């Protein structure tokens, strides 16, 4: 049987996927909410879970450094071998850039983040309306890039699993062996 990802890498992958789907859905919905307590609470949860993604991605990069992913099987074509790292590193970059831009945006708006209302985080930048607008636009553009790259990632999974049945998806499937 071909090697699969380690259980820790799978756990980090699926927890991140769950959080990112939630964040994208809630992010797209929350901006249209009327100003009030509900909006404030939803924004807080968005920020807290977004920072969980930052921690998960940092943990993932460390894990990947110590435990490189299993080699791709021979069935993977040359162009797929070339595209896979671009897609994966693009995703990892966005999973860092999204929460960092959000954190900086809040800080530039003069709103400090207290993680889950318990851990007060530092403000990396001073309040600055122009910087806030720039970071808000950046967070928006990055979110659209993330949606595109996630869609391509899922399309690649379907291509491997449904069209080719080459076992690539099983490497990351959470219920498999290590
Ligand atoms: C992977 C992590 C994250 C994802 C995928 C994400 C995604 C999104 C999305 C899709 C939107 C809606 C953009 C729009 O259509 O206008 C949004 C808005 C927002 N995000 Fe995030 N976000 C993440 C992390 C964070 C973090 C860590 C913070 C702050 C600490 C944050 C703060 C905000 C704020 C304040 C808005 C509302 C901006 C506005 O009112 O226009 N986000 N986010």
């Amino acid at each position: 049987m071909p090697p699969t990802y380690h259980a820790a890498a799978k756990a980090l992958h699926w927890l991140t996927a769950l959080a990112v789907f939630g964040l994208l859905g809630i992010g797209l919905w929350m901006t249209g909410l009327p100003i009030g307590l509900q909006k404030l609470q939803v924004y807080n949860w968005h920020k807290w879970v977004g920072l969980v993604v930052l921690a998960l991605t940092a943990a993932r990069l460390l894990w990947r450094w110590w435990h490189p992913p299993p080699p791709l099987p021979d069935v993977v074509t040359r162009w797929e071998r070339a595209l896979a790292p671009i897609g994966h590193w693009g995703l990892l970059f966005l999973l860092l850039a999204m929460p960092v831009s959000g954190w900086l945006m809040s800080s530039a708006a003069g709103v400090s983040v207290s993680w889950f209302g318990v851990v007060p985080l530092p403000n990396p930048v001073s309040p600055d309306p122009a910087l806030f607008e720039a970071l808000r636009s950046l967070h928006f553009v990055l979110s659209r890039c993330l949606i595109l790259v996630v869609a391509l990632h899922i399309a690649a999974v379907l291509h491997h699993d449904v069209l080719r049945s080459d076992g690539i998806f099983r490497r990351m499937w959470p219920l498999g062996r290590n």
Side-chain angles (χ1 to χ4, degrees), residues 19-20 23-31 39 43 46-51 53-54 94-95 98-106 113 132 136 139-140 143-144 146-147:
V20 166
L23 284 164
L24 287 173
I26 285 173
L28 295 174
W29 166 68
M30 70 183 191
T31 49
K39 184 165 184 151
Y43 267 52
H46 177 84
K47 293 176 186 186
W48 299 338
V49 177
L51 290 165
V53 169
L54 181 61
L94 288 167
L95 293 177
M98 278 304 307
V100 169
S101 63
W103 184 4
L104 292 174
M105 180 202 335
S106 275
V113 182
F132 163 68
R136 190 186 195 182
H139 199 69
F140 174 88
S143 72
R144 286 354 184 226
L146 182 61
I147 291 171

Side-chain angles (χ1 to χ4, degrees), residues 99-176:
V100 169
S101 63
W103 184 4
L104 292 174
M105 180 202 335
S106 275
S107 184
V111 181
S112 303
V113 182
S114 174
W115 207 11
F116 293 98
V118 178
V119 185
L121 299 183
N123 287 313
V125 295
S126 307
D128 177 340
L131 181 62
F132 163 68
E133 281 306 333
L135 289 164
R136 190 186 195 182
S137 304
L138 179 65
H139 199 69
F140 174 88
V141 171
L142 289 174
S143 72
R144 286 354 184 226
C145 294
L146 182 61
I147 291 171
L148 178 70
V149 180
V150 167
L152 290 173
H153 186 67
I154 294 170
V157 169
L158 290 175
H159 168 78
H160 282 292
D161 204 55
V162 179
L163 294 182
R164 303 256 306 270
S165 303
D166 57 11
I168 289 290
F169 182 46
R170 317 242 162 244
R171 287 154 50 97
M172 191 49 101
W173 182 243
L175 307 177

Side-chain angles (χ1 to χ4, degrees), residues 10-27:
K10 290 179 185 178
L12 289 168
H13 173 276
W14 289 106
L15 281 173
T16 305
L18 204 66
V20 166
F21 279 117
L23 284 164
L24 287 173
I26 285 173

